[in-house]
């Protein structure tokens, strides 16, 4: 089942733009995110986010499989 993914337009203090799955409590507001399409795994969502930002990372809470330190 695919889920909608979004990337945060605002970077974290370390420069990462976090990728979130719909329903995540840490999802940025509608004015601060870019829609990445529907994906069945966070890895393809992160790849899509790299077209927008060079430094991206999966959200620790909703996309832990794609989160790196
Ligand atoms: Zn998240």
């Amino acid at each position: 089942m695919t889920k909608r993914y979004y990337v945060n337009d605002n970077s974290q203090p370390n420069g990462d733009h976090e990728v979130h799955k719909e329903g995540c409590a840490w999802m940025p507001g509608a004015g601060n995110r870019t829609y990445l399409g529907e994906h069945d795994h966070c890895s393809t969502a992160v790849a899509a986010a790299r077209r927008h930002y060079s430094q991206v990372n999966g959200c620790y809470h909703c996309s832990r499989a794609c989160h790196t330190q």
Side-chain angles (χ1 to χ4, degrees):
M1 188 175 68
T2 60
K3 290 281 193 183
R4 293 167 185 262
Y5 281 81
Y6 297 84
V7 61
N8 193 335
D9 291 331
N10 300 314
S11 59
Q12 300 304 112
N14 67 1
D16 285 348
H17 289 265
E18 289 191 320
V19 172
H20 295 272
K21 182 161 53 180
E22 71 176 333
C24 178
W26 281 264
M27 176 77 79
N32 295 303
R33 67 194 188 200
T34 297
Y35 179 52
L36 298 172
E38 296 193 6
H39 299 271
D40 57 17
H41 193 271
C42 56
S43 60
T44 53
V46 166
R50 286 194 205 285
R51 292 190 220 116
H52 299 279
Y53 300 106
S54 58
Q55 190 175 335
V56 300
N57 198 359
C59 169
Y60 177 79
H61 302 280
C62 69
S63 303
R64 193 167 300 185
C66 295
H67 176 79
T68 56
Q69 298 295 329

